[in-house]
Amino acid sequence: MIVMKFGGTSVGDGEAISRAADIICQTIKDKGGGVVVVVSAMSGVTDTLLSAATSAAQGDAETFRRARWHLSDRHRQAITESISRDETQAQLVEEVETLLSDFESLCRSIHIMGELTARGSDAVASLGERLTARILAAVLRGRGERATAVEATETIITNGKHGAAVPLMDETREAAQARLMPLLAQGVIPVVTGFIAATKEGVTTTLGRGGSDYTAAILGASLDSDEIWIWTDVDGVMTADPVVVREARTLPEISYSEAAELSYFGAKVLHPKTILPAVERGIPLRIVNTFNPSHPGTLVVAEAKPSELAVKGITSIKGLSLVTVEGRGMLGVPGVAARVFTAVAQEGISVLMISQSSSEQNICFIIRQETVDRALRALEAAFETELARRNVDRIWAQNEVAIVAVVGAEMKGTPGIAAKVFGALGGHAINVISIAQGSSEYNISFVVNEEDMEDAVRYIHQEFGLGRRPEVPPEHDEGLAAGEGGC
Ligand code: ADP
Ligand code: ASP
Ligand code: MG
């Protein structure tokens, strides 16, 4: 059995939805059934939903009404483009309008209350996936398949951490099997909403932005699927973001650890949490291109075949702040680092990277810029006495910085990588603000000004010759190449 997920661009309009349906039908033909589909919202829809709800909370009564009509047009158009029967079209349009009128009612309440709670935000954000799941299921039925839209709220049970909910895997396994196995046994294709889930009490939660990849992995693990396929808009995981580096190449095979490092440090093609459920059950992941289905893409497995490439990829994340706690009075005082990170953790802020100078006179760490004010306030409160006594001189932040990470399992034990990385940057006069301490040997990560980030990625990519050499692809399953005309 295969769990396959289609991302936002892969269902971005009627043509893309038809293409996704072609791929599903072809896979079923080749493999003889056993496909669970996970679907994202159409590209940009979650952003539209969330920004409309945010502006409603700020007193804007117009944006959400406009958003409703814009979303209505876009989904209606996709329905007209991908479904031929008038009757089915009409029924689907009605379902779309019902969901969008829920959206408008939710936004009206948010507007009246003047507040967008995390729970309300998840209820609004969930609508995009609920729309596409219905459309794709109807398109598949139009091709003669038995298919049904399934709400992931019935299959993935999480804690109540809205916006970044954590799945309760035992409960999820039970719920997913109970809901999906009977459908599969009857030859029905479940088309499950990505990104969304529910608490035990049935309250809708979301798994974090970009979380539909994670949905596919959670379901893959819960159903013990043979593989998890992530259909996206690029030819797999590449040596760099192809938007930044034109000559970036597909990595035919990488290990779970490499995929985890690449995605954690910004390779948006895979949500960072996707790897964990796959690793736990040893399920291979494939990242493939909906718009180029005959390309083998990337296979992610426990042990990737040995590669000539010590450095596999260069990734980057921007929109970050470097926070520094500094003071001579910190020298040799035990527990300072623990207090710094406790204060930040208590605010629910996650730290992306840590570095400390060997003199112990300062501790630097990287967080997302939108959390920096809260972090500074929490640290000032935690070190109030030390600041008054001047044992801590300053707690401050440098904004608009980025992390660049150089990743590859074979970097371990290959001398000279760091010299090459920093040589390339020095040669182009790019200033490195900070370097990660104690990172795994799979990864060298460092901080630069945001404006230098893309150049840093390009220069390092060039330095290691990553754009030049095609690697030998792993055995390609020809079945991936979808036929032209559907089932
Ligand atoms: P989807 O909507 O299918 O989930 P995303 O937009 O989330 O797709 O992720 C795909 C995008 O990730 C690509 O279009 C590409 O620009 C970006 N990306 C960033 N880093 C990489 C990388 N190393 N390899 C491939 N794509 C990457
Ligand atoms: N639609 C959600 C988002 O935009 C989830 C996803 O696309 O993976 O974040
Ligand atoms: Mg994505």
Side-chain angles (χ1 to χ4, degrees):
M1 186 231 296
I2 291 164
V3 175
M4 53 168 73
K5 172 255 172 180
F6 292 88
T9 327
S10 303
V11 291
D13 56 26
E15 202 185 318
I17 294 174
S18 300
R19 215 183 278 266
D22 288 346
I23 290 171
I24 297 164
C25 290
Q26 187 67 36
T27 311
I28 286 174
K29 212 159 115 191
D30 295 339
K31 309 264 174 205
V35 169
V36 173
V37 175
V38 172
V39 72
S40 285
M42 292 169 94
S43 46
V45 165
T46 313
D47 286 338
T48 305
L49 293 166
L50 285 173
S51 65
T54 307
S55 73
Q58 290 160 355
D60 172 359
E62 272 313 304
T63 305
F64 69 84
R65 292 203 172 90
R66 273 203 307 275
R68 184 213 160 130
W69 295 118
H70 161 74
L71 293 172
S72 170
D73 281 352
R74 192 157 164 211
H75 288 87
R76 276 170 186 256
Q77 195 175 340
I79 291 168
T80 324
E81 283 166 4
S82 57
I83 289 173
S84 49
R85 280 189 53 193
D86 290 351
E87 209 181 301
T88 319
Q89 281 190 12
Q91 195 195 327
L92 262 181
V93 166
E94 206 180 302
E95 287 184 47
V96 164
E97 291 307 332
T98 307
L99 285 171
L100 290 177
S101 93
D102 288 351
F103 163 66
E104 208 177 327
S105 312
L106 277 165
C107 286
R108 210 174 296 121
S109 315
I110 292 163
H111 179 246
I112 293 166
M113 307 283 277
E115 189 192 11
L116 178 60
T117 60
R119 180 174 169 159
S121 173
D122 276 355
V124 170
S126 72
L127 290 162
E129 272 69 11
R130 296 170 66 200
L131 289 161
T132 39
R134 283 162 176 75
I135 301 175
L136 181 55
V139 172
L140 288 168
R141 285 195 299 271
R143 309 276 177 103
E145 292 291 342
R146 295 178 67 201
T148 187
V150 174
E151 301 278 342
T153 47
E154 297 173 61
T155 62
I156 300 183
I157 315 296
T158 65
N159 67 5
K161 193 163 185 273
H162 286 285
V166 179
L168 309 173
M169 284 310 279
D170 291 341
E171 287 84 343
T172 296
R173 193 174 169 80
E174 206 177 302
Q177 293 202 355
R179 179 73 177 95
L180 301 174
M181 286 307 201
L183 293 175
L184 290 169
Q186 291 160 32
V188 177
I189 309 168
V191 182
V192 188
T193 53
F195 179 51
I196 70 179
T199 62
K200 275 185 205 156
E201 293 73 34
V203 178
T204 299
T205 54
T206 59
L207 302 172
R209 293 305 307 274
S212 296
D213 300 335
Y214 191 25
T215 304
I218 295 168
L219 292 182
S222 301
L223 302 173
D224 293 318
S225 73
D226 297 307
E227 291 198 1
I228 299 161
W229 294 358
I230 306 290
W231 289 97
T232 183
D233 55 5
V234 284
D235 291 334
V237 179
M238 306 179 81
T239 49
D241 184 345
V243 173
V244 176
V245 181
R246 250 205 356 250
E247 29 333 317
R249 283 186 172 279
T250 299
L251 294 161
E253 193 169 300
I254 53 175
S255 66
Y256 290 132
S257 317
E258 288 171 321
E261 296 278 334
L262 288 165
S263 59
Y264 180 81
F265 284 103
K268 188 181 161 224
V269 66
L270 208 55
H271 187 280
K273 290 185 182 167
T274 313
I275 307 298
L276 201 62
V279 172
E280 275 169 5
R281 302 251 157 199
I283 304 173
L285 274 166
R286 270 179 209 274
I287 294 86
V288 267
N289 190 349
T290 316
F291 304 93
N292 188 15
S294 59
H295 191 287
T298 299
L299 182 64
V300 186
V301 285
E303 297 273 337
K305 289 197 193 86
S307 161
E308 282 173 34
L309 300 179
V311 168
K312 296 268 179 68
I314 327 289
T315 60
S316 55
I317 319 177
K318 60 181 174 184
L320 307 177
S321 295
L322 176 71
V323 177
T324 304
V325 179
E326 68 182 28
R328 273 179 294 275
M330 286 162 53
L331 190 74
V333 179
V336 175
R339 284 173 58 205
V340 165
F341 294 114
T342 304
V344 174
Q346 277 169 351
E347 283 294 312
I349 297 171
S350 67
V351 172
L352 282 91
M353 187 179 127
I354 303 171
S355 81
Q356 180 179 26
S357 68
S358 55
S359 67
E360 290 188 46
Q361 285 183 15
N362 70 52
I363 296 173
C364 309
F365 60 93
I366 294 278
I367 54 176
R368 299 206 178 267
Q369 195 165 313
E370 64 265 18
T371 61
V372 71
D373 291 341
R374 278 197 293 130
L376 290 177
R377 274 200 303 276
L379 288 166
E380 277 156 11
F383 288 93
E384 200 181 350
T385 318
E386 286 81 355
L387 281 163
R389 289 185 187 150
R390 297 212 152 266
N391 287 335
V392 169
D393 295 322
R394 215 154 66 108
I395 299 175
W396 60 290
Q398 180 174 355
N399 292 335
E400 289 168 24
V401 298
I403 293 179
V404 175
V406 181
V407 176
E410 269 107 333
M411 280 164 56
K412 189 172 173 157
T414 309
I417 304 267
K420 237 171 139 175
V421 168
F422 295 112
L425 298 173
H428 291 94
I430 291 180
N431 182 39
V432 176
I433 298 169
S434 172
I435 300 173
Q437 170 190 280
S439 63
S440 76
E441 282 184 79
Y442 276 31
N443 157 1
I444 295 173
S445 40
F446 57 89
V447 180
V448 292
N449 276 320
E450 215 168 79
E451 63 194 27
D452 292 332
M453 180 189 84
E454 293 196 352
D455 281 341
V457 172
R458 285 187 203 109
Y459 292 135
I460 299 170
H461 196 268
Q462 200 174 32
E463 183 71 25
F464 286 92
L466 294 182
R468 268 184 261 125
R469 214 156 14 119
E471 286 226 307
V472 183
E475 276 149 46
H476 173 40
D477 183 346
E478 291 301 332
L480 274 178
E484 289 278 287
C487 301

